[in-house]
Amino acid sequence: MTTPTTPPVPAGWYPDPAGGTRTRWWDGTQWTDHFQEPYNPGSAAAALRAPEGTKAYNPWIWLVVFLPYVTLPLLFTIDFGSIFRALDPSDPDAVVRAQFAMFLSPGYIALTLGGWVLVALTIFCAYRDWRALQAAGVPQPLHWAWAFFGVAGYPVYPIARSVVVKRRTGHGSAVMWAAIGMIVFTFVVVGIWTGILVSQMLQYVSTIPTS
């Protein structure tokens, strides 16, 4: 007559036989010294909280917000109306010459080259801001590489950075509102510039002989 045997317990995490809330690894034959604490979503969120009083602002982030708009006034120094004034039905090359003259004007060159320089400076300032947040004790701040969206004209870094810092420190929303405010300001300035350009075009159209 054979005696039935108890099937072996498969390896895995089981409640610690010594008691407590943690689990212990059973390797299939014996208990090991590997333990696992129970997962607590609250503790994971708390680990990403910055110490009380952590600074959310520094000079670098304000440069990120405002630097891209330094060259905006140069838009009004470019004589776009010269294209309309140079139109001559008897000279088909007049418009081409006017366009070249505009592209080579100091205002247009400063606006174009200055824009690329400011984009590079903005990315550099985003990197310094990222390092400053780490030094201030902000855990896992938004990575500075998001600033590369500034090449396409999108202020992703300051807005997203503000959201992340707000979660980590409880404050820091001023950066987001400043970035949004500058976007609105830009739309107003571009709207005024467009109105001036349309006015110049209409003035030219009114001078064209009807016959």
Side-chain angles (χ1 to χ4, degrees), residues 28-196:
T29 58
Q30 63 181 354
W31 293 106
T32 67
D33 292 330
H34 300 291
F35 299 92
Q36 190 177 63
E37 298 295 335
Y39 174 70
N40 184 355
S43 62
L48 293 177
R49 292 287 296 182
E52 191 68 27
T54 299
K55 293 182 178 180
Y57 307 109
N58 58 70
W60 299 108
I61 187 56
W62 297 119
L63 289 173
V64 171
V65 172
F66 296 111
L67 267 180
Y69 305 96
V70 169
T71 58
L72 190 60
L74 293 176
L75 193 63
F76 293 94
T77 67
I78 304 173
D79 187 13
F80 288 96
S82 62
I83 297 179
F84 306 119
R85 292 191 297 269
L87 291 177
D88 185 357
S90 62
D91 185 2
D93 297 329
V95 176
V96 176
R97 289 196 299 270
Q99 289 177 337
F100 272 109
M102 182 192 68
F103 293 149
L104 296 177
S105 65
Y108 187 87
I109 294 175
L111 182 64
T112 304
L113 296 182
W116 284 107
V117 171
L118 290 179
V119 166
L121 288 176
T122 300
I123 294 173
F124 172 75
C125 291
Y127 167 75
R128 294 303 303 268
D129 170 66
W130 177 66
R131 294 296 301 270
L133 289 176
Q134 290 180 320
V138 178
Q140 297 183 17
L142 184 74
H143 199 275
W144 62 272
W146 285 91
F148 278 97
F149 278 97
V151 175
Y154 301 118
V156 174
Y157 179 80
I159 294 177
R161 180 258 197 205
S162 183
V163 174
V164 173
V165 171
K166 175 73 173 180
R167 294 175 179 174
R168 305 287 191 264
T169 66
H171 55 282
S173 298
V175 171
M176 178 180 65
W177 293 116
I180 294 175
M182 291 306 299
I183 294 174
V184 174
F185 173 74
T186 301
F187 274 110
V188 172
V189 171
V190 173
I192 294 173
W193 170 78
T194 303
I196 295 174

Side-chain angles (χ1 to χ4, degrees), residues 6-31:
T6 303
V9 178
W13 292 102
Y14 298 96
D16 187 1
T21 59
R22 65 184 181 176
T23 56
R24 189 172 181 179
W25 181 256
W26 171 262
D27 65 4
T29 58
Q30 63 181 354
W31 293 106

